[in-house]
Structures are given as C-alpha cells and as structure tokens.
Amino acid sequence: MFLIYINELLAELAKYNITVKAFADDVKLYLQIMDDLDVTRLQLAIDVLCKWAKDWQLTISVSKCCMLHIGEQKRDTTVHISGDIVPVVESVRDLGMLISNDLQPSVHVNDIVSRAHKRAAAILRAFVTRDSSLLMRAFLTYVRPILEYNSIIWSTRVLWVTLWSLSLCNGDLRSACRI
C-alpha cells in the first residue's frame, strides 16, 4: 500500500533530474554536483520531499539524514531539511553496509571485524565450558552471520585477510577463530 503513495513522490522528484532510490520507507537522492545550480536543484528536490511528507502527514527523521560526498572534489553543498542543516559525513550505514566517501571497503570491514570480535569474546565469557562442539555451534550461530552478511559485495578475501592479521596480534580473536 505504501508503494502507491511513494510512487507519487518518485514521479515528483524525477522532474528535477535527480537519481532517486527507494526501499520501503527509505528514500535516497543522488546527484553529481558540478556547480551551484546543482546544489540549488538538490535543495529544491529536498523541499519537494518535505512538502510531500507534510501533505501525507509523515515526519522526516532529520537525525537520520546525511550527505555523503563521494570522490575527491569537495564543494560547499549545504542543504536544509525543514530548516535543519543536513550534516556531511565521512561514511554512512545503508542496509547494513558502511559506505565511505572513498568507496573503499576498509571502514565496513573494520566495523565487521570489531563486531565479530566483540561477539566472539562475549561467547567465550558467557560459556564456562570449553567444549569445542558447543563453542563451534555458538560461533557459527552468532559470529559467522556477522562475517558473511553482504560479503558478496565487498569480497570475503578482504575480510579474512583482515581477520588473519588481527588474529596474529590479538589472543582473544585467535582463540575465537580456533573454535
């Protein structure tokens, strides 16, 4: 049912020649900014989005909105949503992936390794037993999904090389990897 409503928004935003991606209730606007006219076009599209949300009595969560500059060129692209400045960020989480401004997977891989390490350490703290089959099941159930989620996008080789290098200098993770 929501798709019926959001299709109207997508049609309105298409008038501004801006790439729009929608997934459920998330809307992303993409635009290559070459000059101040492009910044103005982006602001007009954001204003249309705000008007549409107000007309349908929906709120825009401004705290979840951000702008990610991709590439080398940096311009002053200050835009506003309902009077609030949209912050410029170095990386953003989108559907579970951390996307950085240089489009390198290192920020995402570091985040995955950190979360997997914390989860593996929690498993080792939580279980008194050192039964390898039980710990293996816990690792496969609680840690492996973190490591494998969206791995096809950024390549598992990058992650496993990072895990291996961390295991050389971190005893807890090495223990968790031996499970």
Side-chain angles (χ1 to χ4, degrees):
M1 185 65 148
F2 190 72
L3 289 176
I4 295 170
Y5 299 114
I6 205 158
N7 281 341
E8 175 190 350
L9 172 65
L10 300 178
E12 283 294 316
L13 291 173
K15 296 175 185 175
Y16 293 91
N17 200 19
I18 291 178
T19 305
V20 180
K21 301 291 182 189
F23 181 78
D25 63 345
D26 283 348
V27 176
K28 291 163 193 58
L29 305 177
Y30 299 92
L31 177 65
Q32 182 177 7
I33 296 181
M34 302 300 285
D35 54 22
D36 291 337
L37 185 62
D38 292 331
V39 176
T40 303
R41 195 163 40 121
L42 178 61
Q43 183 62 58
L44 289 172
I46 290 172
D47 293 342
V48 166
L49 174 71
C50 291
K51 182 186 177 313
W52 176 86
K54 184 177 178 184
D55 290 346
W56 286 103
Q57 299 176 1
L58 298 171
T59 57
I60 297 175
S61 181
V62 180
S63 63
K64 294 181 180 179
C65 297
C66 62
M67 183 178 302
L68 180 68
H69 294 279
I70 297 175
E72 297 292 322
Q73 242 180 8
K74 305 289 188 224
R75 299 187 75 83
D76 179 30
T77 52
T78 304
V79 293
H80 304 271
I81 295 179
S82 302
D84 295 324
I85 294 176
V86 177
V88 177
V89 295
E90 297 292 317
S91 63
V92 63
R93 186 173 300 277
D94 185 26
L95 299 176
M97 292 282 300
L98 265 176
I99 301 168
S100 64
N101 59 358
D102 59 0
L103 298 179
Q104 295 297 316
S106 58
V107 173
H108 180 68
V109 170
N110 290 340
D111 179 60
I112 288 174
V113 168
S114 173
R115 288 189 298 132
H117 178 226
K118 288 176 186 174
R119 183 78 52 92
I123 289 170
L124 291 175
R125 280 192 314 271
F127 291 102
V128 177
T129 182
R130 289 295 173 236
D131 178 25
S132 61
S133 65
L134 177 68
L135 293 174
M136 176 66 91
R137 289 172 95 194
F139 182 84
L140 292 176
T141 302
Y142 297 110
V143 179
R144 190 172 177 185
I146 294 172
L147 299 173
E148 291 180 348
Y149 180 74
N150 275 337
S151 62
I152 195 72
I153 295 172
W154 47 263
S155 173
T156 55
R157 179 171 168 73
V158 174
L159 176 64
W160 290 112
V161 167
T162 305
L163 276 174
W164 177 252
S165 64
L166 279 176
S167 71
L168 295 176
C169 59
N170 191 328
D172 291 338
L173 186 59
R174 186 171 55 237
S175 298
C177 290
R178 270 194 301 222
I179 295 175

